[in-house]
């Protein structure tokens, strides 16, 4: 199946041109296999006759020629009619010449054309149709012009199948434009295979149609394979180029250099790319204001640049450009469109601020400050309220003493000149300042303009005189005096003066502040005098000046204050002092200990120090002292030194001869670290002090008082004297229990209590306390019923000796002796130790009253009467003696 069209005439012309350049070779031609074509009696021009296999005859042929000018042969072997052909005879023949110029070979193919006389018949159902594995026909590319004006239907090309030579063939097509959108755009004649278009086509919507042609017999059998028929829509310049934006907005700094990029414009065209229809060209139609010409645009890229350096925002701050874009590379017949471009000129600091006049004058009273004295206006052409417009003032000259300050008023952009430090009329009656002004932003204009005098001005400030008080200058005056000077020593005082007369006469002086009260001042002359002996070491901080504040007053009570800094010269009046007073040396782990000394005097009267031991055999045979540095020495013990505390006197002398003796308490201890040192009771050299002896005597007296009380009770018990039972039940208070006592409790020390007649009788009085093996045991007899004789052992171990109701206590002298004797011995031993169970040389054991029921109760707890009351109290004994009376009257 093949397709033919009007384009075949072009190929015929090319073939005829090739015939003119044909080279005739002088060698014999070899004939190939004869080819026969059956054709109708009449053929139109550019119709396919058939196809010849040229490669089978001469594969390397580079020249192809037909002997009959009515036919042309293509390189693929296709034979077309060059003109309309009519077969007058039944047969017609011609030759196809093939030649290879490199091999100098030539061959020919005979072609016989026979008239087709037979009648086409329908294919029988059982008849087999011969199929070729390879089709000999190929479609000729077809195209159509978009927006064609017709006439419609518009003929495009003819489709033919090889099977049409033997059978009746019917043609049909499918694809987009036929049975797909857009529907019914193309159709084909069923019998002839002519392809038509029904209406105009827009290429921007459909650029190509891929149709499929089908050839079938009357019974629906496919006589040939489907033939692809691509139909390309040729572009027509029917779309205007369009800018991407209607209005473009760009900014460019003023004073920009030539060639500065302003912005880029862009347009698009829907026509076929890479054709003249989409080749765009940009240009500027109009610039407003038009003169001078400032901008240009690149015709191909649309980049807008500056072509002049006359951009001045102060002259023109905005430009408007009418931009044009045209296709067909800008040719006059191309389509075009326009857009507007607004270019804003950005401000640059190309204008210096200028003073309105070159000189200014102002005045101010002396001794005034923080006042505004002058406002200086300036002019600047740059954009208002920007860094290019805001002024920055500077005092260039005349303000060496810092009396003035100039700032900028943010609202008015004026320079505000102020006095920040008081002026003195007597010193400066007139001050001339040079003021400079610039902008916050750097200057971008002509550099030579920076040196002009338009940005400088002179300000003359006149100082007005005032009748002012005394002046204290300098504020601090220094004097010097030796330490330990006698009371009444004179010192140069503070001198103030009247600024008008430059004299100190008529001024009175007064002390405002004297830290130590060492100084007095002469009211008339201002001289100072010592009222106490000055001690340099008492000044805080050390080695600092002693500052005294002085008030100077004139006759009008105007005043000023000054400071007298007294430098007290040091004298060697302080000996060096050892910093430590108690030392622990762990023997044998520590072989020595270092001691250090300080001297509050000046270094000239201080180190090096000389350390020495007393020249006594008791010390020198046990201890040595060696120098470590100028302020420290090393105290070492000898091997024969015993574990005990030593009192060692050490003499320290400074470089000026001042010395002092310090007695150190040195504990030579058997330990591994000084913090873990504990002396044993058997330490040598332990001596009891007077307070320790007094404590022992008091303890012995206490024990004898308890013993006497117990003996009296035993004697009374033998006399079997009783008291009324109701007296034993009046005020019984339990001190260490929260419930009534048991009827009978046996003590661990052999005391036994009995219950008789269920009567409650108590035994009162504190019998004593003891410490045994690190634990404290307490026996206490408390007044009242259900009383306890309590034994406290260690932490929380209690044994109770309770006086049972109606019970009696039987105890002879031997039992009491066996009970008290070992405890008295331990008491005497413990009086010789401190709270940490360490031997004490001078230790007082303190007995404190801890209230009723305390283990350390008073000896006289059994009586609340004083000795001077006489014996009348025996006539009316209180409840707390009931237990004692019961014990004394019963055996």
């Amino acid at each position: 199946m093949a397709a033919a069209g009007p384009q075949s005439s072009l190929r015929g012309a090319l073939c005829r041109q090739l015939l003119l350049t044909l080279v005739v070779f002088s060698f014999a031609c070899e004939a190939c296999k004869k080819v026969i074509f059956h054709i109708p009696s009449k053929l139109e021009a550019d119709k396919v006759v058939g196809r010849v296999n040229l490669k089978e005859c001469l594969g390397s042929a580079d020249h192809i020629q037909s002997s009959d000018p009515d036919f042309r042969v293509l390189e693929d072997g296709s034979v077309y009619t060059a003109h309309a052909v009519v077969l007058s005879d039944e047969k017609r023949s011609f030759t196809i010449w093939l030649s290879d110029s490199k091999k100098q070979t030539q061959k020919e193919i005979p072609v016989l054309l026979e008239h087709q006389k037979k009648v086409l018949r329908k294919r029988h159902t059982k008849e087999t149709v011969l199929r070729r594995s390879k089709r000999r026909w190929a479609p000729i590319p077809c195209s159509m012009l978009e927006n064609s004006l017709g006439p419609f239907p518009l003929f495009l090309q003819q489709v033919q199948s090889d099977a049409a030579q033997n059978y009746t063939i019917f043609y049909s097509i499918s694809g987009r434009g036929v049975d797909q959108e857009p529907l019914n755009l193309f159709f084909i004649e069923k019998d002839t295979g002519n392809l038509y278009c029904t209406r105009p086509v827009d290429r921007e919507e459909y650029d190509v149609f891929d149709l499929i042609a089908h050839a079938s017999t009357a019974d629906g059998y496919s006589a040939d394979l489907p033939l692809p028929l691509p139909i390309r829509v040729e572009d027509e310049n029917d779309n205007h180029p369009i800018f991407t934006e209607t209005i473009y907005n760009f900014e460019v700094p003023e004073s920009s250099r030539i060639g500065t990029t302003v912005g880029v414009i862009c347009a698009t065209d829907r026509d076929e790319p890479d054709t003249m229809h989409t080749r765009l060209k940009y240009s500027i139609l109009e610039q407003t204001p038009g003169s001078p010409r400032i901008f240009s645009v690149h015709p191909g890229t649309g980049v807008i640049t500056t072509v002049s350096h006359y951009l001045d925002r102060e002259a023109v701050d905005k430009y408007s450009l009418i931009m044009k874009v045209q296709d067909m590379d800008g040719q006059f017949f191309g389509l075009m469109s326009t857009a507007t471009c607004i270019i804003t000129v950005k401000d640059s600091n190309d204008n210096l601020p200028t003073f309105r006049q070159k000189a200014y004058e102002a005045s101010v009273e002396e001794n005034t400050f923080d006042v505004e004295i002058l406002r200086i206006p300036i002019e600047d052409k740059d954009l208002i309220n920007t860094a290019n417009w805001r002024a920055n003032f500077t005092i260039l000259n005349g303000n060496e003493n810092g009396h003035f300050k100039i700032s900028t008023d943010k609202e008015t952009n004026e320079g505000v000149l102020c006095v920040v430090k008081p002026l003195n009329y007597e010193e400066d009656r007139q001050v001339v300042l040079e003021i400079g002004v610039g902008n916050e932003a750097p200057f971008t204009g002509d550099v030579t303009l920076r040196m002009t005098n338009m940005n400088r001005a002179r300000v003359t400030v006149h100082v007005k005189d005032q009748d002012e008080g005394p002046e204290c200058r300098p504020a601090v005056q220094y004097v010097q005096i030796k330490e330990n000077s006698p009371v009444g020593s004179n010192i140069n005082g503070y001198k103030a003066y009247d600024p008008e007369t430059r004299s100190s006469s008529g001024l009175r002086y007064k002390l405002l502040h004297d830290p130590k009260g060492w100084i007095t001042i002469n009211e008339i002359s201002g001289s100072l005098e010592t009222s106490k002996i000055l001690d340099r070491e008492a000044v805080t901080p050390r080695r600092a000046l002693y500052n005294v504040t002085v008030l100077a007053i004139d006759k009008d009570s105007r005043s000023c204050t000054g400071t007298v800094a007294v430098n007290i010269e040091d004298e060697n009046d302080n000996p060096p002092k050892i910093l430590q007073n108690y030392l622990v040396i762990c023997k044998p782990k520590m072989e020595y200990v270092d001691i250090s000394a300080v001297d509050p005097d000046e270094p000239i009267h201080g180190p090096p120090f000389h350390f020495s031991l007393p020249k006594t055999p008791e010390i020198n045979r046990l201890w040595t002292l060696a120098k470590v540095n100028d302020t420290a020495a090393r105290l070492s013990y000898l091997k024969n030194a015993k574990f005990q505390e030593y009192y060692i006197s050490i003499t320290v002398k400074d470089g000026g001869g001042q010395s002092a003796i310090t007695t150190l308490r040195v504990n030579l201890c058997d330990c591994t670290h000084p913090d873990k040192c504990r002396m044993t009771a058997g330490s040598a050299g332990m001596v009891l002090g007077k307070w320790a002896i007094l404590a022992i005597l008091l303890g012995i007296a206490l024990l004898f008082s308890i013993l006497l009380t117990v003996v009296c009770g035993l004697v009374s018990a033998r006399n079997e004297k009783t008291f009324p039972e109701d007296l034993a039940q009046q005020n019984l208070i339990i001190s260490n229990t929260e419930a009534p006592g048991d009827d009978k409790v046996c003590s661990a020390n052999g005391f036994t209590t009995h219950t008789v007649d269920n009567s409650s009788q108590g035994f009162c009085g504190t019998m004593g306390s003891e410490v045994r093996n690190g634990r404290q045991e307490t026996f206490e007899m408390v007044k009242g019923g259900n009383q306890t004789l309590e034994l406290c052992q260690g932490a929380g171990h209690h044994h109770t000796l309770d006086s049972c109701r109606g019970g009696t206590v039987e105890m002879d002298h031997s039992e009491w002796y066996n009970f008290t004797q070992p405890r008295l011995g331990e008491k005497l031993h413990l009086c010789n130790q401190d709270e940490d169970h360490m031997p004490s040389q001078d230790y007082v054991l303190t007995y404190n009253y801890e209230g009723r029921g305390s283990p350390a109760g008073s000896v006289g707890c059994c009586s609340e009467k004083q000795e001077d009351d006489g014996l009348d109290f025996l006539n009316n004994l209180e409840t707390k003696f009931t237990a004692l009376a019961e014990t004394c009257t019963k055996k």
Side-chain angles (χ1 to χ4, degrees):
M1 185 167 55
Q7 291 84 352
S8 58
S9 59
L10 296 176
R11 295 185 178 88
L14 292 175
C15 292
R16 286 191 295 270
Q17 187 175 359
L18 289 174
L19 293 174
L20 298 176
T21 58
L22 181 64
V23 177
V24 179
F25 297 96
S26 59
F27 50 83
C29 294
E30 296 181 4
C32 294
K33 184 178 179 181
K34 185 177 181 180
V35 178
I36 300 174
F37 292 127
H38 298 276
I39 62 173
S41 59
K42 184 178 180 181
L43 289 175
E44 297 180 357
D46 293 328
K47 290 291 184 178
V48 177
V49 177
R51 195 172 193 181
V52 179
N53 191 351
L54 302 180
K55 292 183 179 181
E56 184 180 352
C57 183
L58 182 61
S60 59
D62 54 4
H63 291 284
I64 303 172
Q65 182 183 359
S66 173
S67 62
D68 190 342
D70 290 336
F71 301 93
R72 58 187 179 86
V73 183
L74 301 183
E75 293 180 355
D76 61 350
S78 299
V79 180
Y80 285 83
T81 56
H83 308 284
V85 176
V86 177
L87 292 179
S88 57
D89 300 329
E90 293 182 357
K91 295 181 180 181
R92 184 174 177 174
S93 62
F94 64 93
T95 302
I96 298 175
W97 293 322
L98 303 176
S99 61
D100 186 351
S101 58
K102 293 181 180 180
K103 296 181 180 181
Q104 295 185 353
T105 303
Q106 186 175 3
K107 291 185 178 182
E108 61 181 20
I109 300 175
V111 178
L112 176 63
L113 301 179
E114 293 182 353
H115 181 63
Q116 185 178 3
K117 294 182 179 180
K118 61 182 179 183
V119 179
L120 295 179
R121 58 184 176 88
K122 293 183 179 180
R123 185 185 69 88
H124 193 272
T125 305
K126 296 182 180 181
E127 184 179 359
T128 302
V129 177
L130 297 178
R131 292 181 178 269
R132 292 187 301 271
S133 60
K134 186 176 180 180
R135 188 183 311 170
R136 295 184 302 163
W137 307 99
I140 299 175
C142 180
S143 63
M144 59 178 296
L145 187 66
E146 73 167 326
N147 303 323
S148 175
L149 298 178
F152 295 101
L154 179 65
F155 173 77
L156 298 179
Q157 67 177 358
Q158 184 183 24
V159 179
Q160 288 184 344
S161 174
D162 297 347
Q165 299 179 9
N166 300 318
Y167 304 98
T168 301
I169 299 300
F170 300 99
Y171 299 95
S172 62
I173 57 175
S174 63
R176 189 174 66 173
V178 181
D179 52 2
Q180 301 175 18
E181 291 292 338
L183 298 174
N184 302 322
L185 179 62
F186 301 99
F187 72 92
I188 190 171
E189 290 182 348
K190 182 178 180 181
D191 298 329
T192 64
N194 293 331
L195 181 64
Y196 295 92
C197 178
T198 61
R199 58 183 181 271
V201 179
D202 186 3
R203 191 207 65 84
E204 286 70 41
E205 188 175 1
Y206 304 102
D207 56 346
V208 65
F209 295 93
D210 293 319
L211 304 181
I212 303 296
H214 305 274
S216 60
T217 59
D219 56 0
Y221 181 80
S222 295
D224 209 337
L225 294 177
L227 175 68
L229 292 177
I231 300 177
R232 190 177 67 87
V233 181
E234 295 182 358
D235 184 47
E236 182 184 24
N237 190 18
D238 58 341
N239 290 280
H240 291 260
I242 299 175
F243 282 100
T244 56
E245 297 182 22
T246 305
I247 299 177
Y248 291 89
N249 290 281
F250 300 117
E251 290 182 347
V252 60
E254 65 174 330
S255 304
S256 296
R257 297 180 179 180
I258 296 176
T260 300
T261 299
V262 177
V264 180
I265 58 175
C266 183
T268 59
D269 196 319
R270 295 183 60 196
D271 289 326
E272 187 174 359
D274 301 326
T275 63
M276 290 295 291
H277 299 163
T278 55
R279 184 173 295 179
L280 308 181
K281 186 174 184 180
Y282 301 93
S283 61
I284 299 176
L285 287 180
E286 181 181 353
Q287 172 185 304
T288 305
S291 180
R293 179 171 171 267
I294 304 296
F295 305 100
S296 68
V297 63
H298 190 279
T301 61
V303 177
I304 302 174
T305 57
T306 59
V307 294
S308 174
H309 60 273
Y310 291 109
L311 271 174
D312 187 2
R313 190 204 64 83
E314 289 72 35
V316 179
D317 61 349
K318 187 174 294 185
Y319 290 87
S320 177
L321 304 179
I322 304 299
M323 309 302 298
K324 183 185 77 169
V325 60
Q326 191 170 18
D327 59 15
M328 302 299 293
D329 199 19
Q331 299 184 51
F332 69 93
F333 50 82
L335 303 178
M336 60 166 285
S337 62
T338 60
T340 302
C341 183
I342 304 298
I343 301 176
T344 302
V345 182
K346 294 172 58 179
D347 184 45
S348 299
N349 190 18
D350 58 343
N351 293 280
L352 284 173
T354 57
F355 292 102
R356 295 181 181 178
Q357 57 192 64
K358 295 181 180 181
Y360 298 87
E361 290 189 0
S363 61
V364 62
E365 292 186 353
E366 65 173 335
N367 301 321
T368 59
F369 61 95
D370 290 337
V371 293
E372 177 184 322
I373 62 173
L374 181 64
R375 282 184 169 263
I376 307 174
I378 55 99
E379 293 181 353
D380 196 321
K381 296 180 181 179
D382 290 321
L383 187 62
I384 297 176
N385 294 326
T386 63
N388 302 326
W389 174 81
R390 285 189 289 268
N392 189 8
F393 293 88
T394 306
I395 301 177
L396 301 176
N397 293 306
N399 192 33
E400 288 76 13
N401 295 325
H403 292 285
F404 302 93
K405 182 185 74 172
I406 190 168
S407 58
T408 304
D409 189 327
K410 301 299 182 181
E411 299 296 330
T412 62
N413 209 31
E414 294 176 327
V416 181
L417 182 63
C418 300
V419 177
V420 295
K421 185 178 178 181
L423 291 164
N424 193 336
Y425 174 80
E426 288 72 26
E427 294 181 358
D428 298 309
R429 299 188 178 186
Q430 180 177 291
V431 180
V432 178
L433 304 175
E434 185 179 12
I435 308 296
V437 65
N439 292 117
E440 293 182 0
F443 182 68
T444 59
D446 191 355
V447 179
T448 58
L449 294 178
R450 301 182 185 180
M451 305 307 296
T452 62
N453 58 0
M454 294 302 293
N455 59 353
R456 296 183 179 217
R458 186 181 64 185
V459 178
T460 302
V461 180
H462 302 281
V463 182
K464 297 180 180 180
D465 187 24
Q466 280 186 344
D467 186 11
E468 50 193 340
E471 288 189 358
C472 295
R473 292 187 181 180
V476 180
Q477 298 180 11
Y478 298 89
V479 297
Q480 189 167 337
I481 189 173
K482 289 186 177 182
E483 184 182 13
N484 300 322
S485 295
V487 176
S489 300
N490 290 324
I491 312 173
N492 292 330
Y494 192 89
K495 290 295 182 181
Y497 63 93
D498 188 341
E500 308 294 336
T501 62
R502 311 300 296 178
S503 173
S504 298
S505 61
L507 300 180
R508 293 180 294 109
Y509 297 93
K510 180 181 179 181
L511 281 179
L512 284 182
H513 179 63
D514 182 4
K516 301 290 184 180
W518 291 346
I519 305 294
T520 60
I521 190 169
N522 188 297
E523 184 178 356
I524 303 303
S525 63
S527 61
L528 303 179
E529 186 177 295
T530 60
S531 60
K532 295 180 182 179
I533 296 178
L534 278 63
D535 185 5
R536 188 197 67 86
E537 289 73 33
V539 178
T540 304
R542 293 281 183 89
R543 303 176 182 176
L545 296 175
Y546 184 71
N547 295 324
V548 178
T549 305
V550 177
L551 178 68
I553 309 171
D554 64 4
K555 60 182 180 179
D556 295 327
S557 299
R558 292 172 296 192
S559 63
C560 67
T561 58
T563 301
V564 178
V566 182
N567 182 17
I568 303 175
E569 296 181 3
D570 182 47
E571 287 190 350
N572 191 14
D573 57 344
N574 292 281
K577 296 180 181 179
I578 295 178
L579 298 177
Q580 304 96 325
N581 56 13
Y582 177 74
L583 299 171
V584 177
I585 303 178
C586 290
K587 180 182 178 182
K589 187 171 184 178
M590 296 173 58
E591 297 180 355
Y592 57 85
V593 66
D594 291 339
I595 57 176
S596 57
V598 295
D599 193 330
D601 290 325
E602 290 287 343
I604 192 174
H605 299 140
F609 299 144
H610 176 70
F611 297 83
S612 61
L613 292 172
K615 297 180 180 180
T616 58
E618 294 81 1
I619 299 300
N620 293 330
R621 66 184 176 84
L622 299 177
W623 300 93
T624 61
L625 192 64
K627 181 179 179 181
V628 176
N629 52 39
D630 289 345
T631 61
R634 180 164 295 168
L635 181 64
S636 305
Y637 61 87
L638 299 179
K639 294 183 179 179
N640 56 349
K642 298 181 180 180
F643 294 113
Q644 68 177 57
E645 280 194 356
Y646 296 87
Y647 290 88
I648 303 174
S649 298
I650 298 178
T651 302
V652 187
K653 183 185 294 184
D654 62 18
Q658 285 281 357
S659 64
I661 299 176
T662 303
T663 300
L664 297 180
R665 188 160 63 100
V666 182
N667 189 353
L668 187 60
C669 184
D670 185 8
C671 59
T672 59
H673 192 274
D675 294 339
K676 300 180 179 180
C677 178
R678 294 291 183 269
M679 295 298 293
T680 62
S683 298
M686 187 65 64
V687 180
L688 291 178
K690 58 183 180 179
W691 293 108
I693 295 173
L694 179 59
I696 294 173
L697 293 177
L698 290 175
I700 294 173
L702 175 63
L703 293 176
F704 274 105
S705 299
I706 296 174
L707 181 61
L708 180 60
T709 303
V710 174
V711 171
C712 291
L714 293 175
V715 174
S716 299
R718 291 190 180 95
N719 295 331
E720 297 182 355
K721 185 177 180 178
T722 61
F723 287 86
E725 292 182 358
D726 56 349
L727 295 176
Q729 299 179 0
Q730 294 178 3
N731 293 315
L732 298 179
I733 300 174
I734 299 173
S735 63
N736 60 351
T737 61
E738 297 182 0
D742 298 333
D743 291 339
K744 181 177 180 180
V745 177
C746 294
S747 172
N749 294 305
F751 285 89
T752 307
T753 60
H754 301 278
T755 301
V756 180
D757 297 333
N758 295 327
S759 62
S760 177
Q761 296 179 354
F763 185 79
C764 73
T766 300
M767 298 182 63
S769 63
E770 67 168 336
V771 177
R772 176 183 296 175
N773 298 329
R775 299 179 299 173
Q776 186 176 9
E777 297 179 355
T778 303
F779 290 87
E780 183 180 12
M781 299 178 186
V782 187
K783 63 183 178 179
N786 298 328
Q787 303 303 315
T788 61
L789 179 61
E790 183 180 46
L791 175 62
C792 301
Q793 297 182 351
H797 300 283
H798 299 279
H799 299 279
T800 304
L801 180 62
D802 190 7
S803 59
C804 304
R805 298 176 181 177
T808 61
V809 179
E810 296 181 357
M811 179 182 295
D812 58 8
H813 184 268
S814 61
E815 290 178 342
W816 178 253
Y817 181 82
N818 294 332
F819 172 74
T820 59
Q821 187 63 25
R823 288 162 176 77
L824 289 175
E826 291 185 6
K827 188 67 177 180
L828 291 174
H829 174 71
L830 292 175
C831 287
N832 196 30
Q833 298 181 357
D834 57 15
E835 288 82 0
D836 296 327
H837 305 289
M838 302 300 297
S840 175
Q841 289 178 328
D842 188 7
Y843 184 82
V844 178
L845 184 60
T846 304
Y847 291 88
N848 291 328
Y849 176 71
E850 300 181 5
R852 295 186 179 184
S854 171
S858 174
V859 175
C861 67
C862 295
S863 176
E864 296 179 355
K865 300 295 183 178
Q866 303 296 329
E867 293 181 0
D868 56 2
D869 292 340
L871 301 176
D872 295 337
F873 71 95
L874 295 175
N875 298 326
N876 187 15
L877 294 176
E878 293 182 359
T879 308
K880 63 182 179 179
F881 290 97
T882 303
L884 180 60
E886 187 76 12
T887 304
C888 294
T889 56
K890 293 184 180 181
K891 293 182 180 179

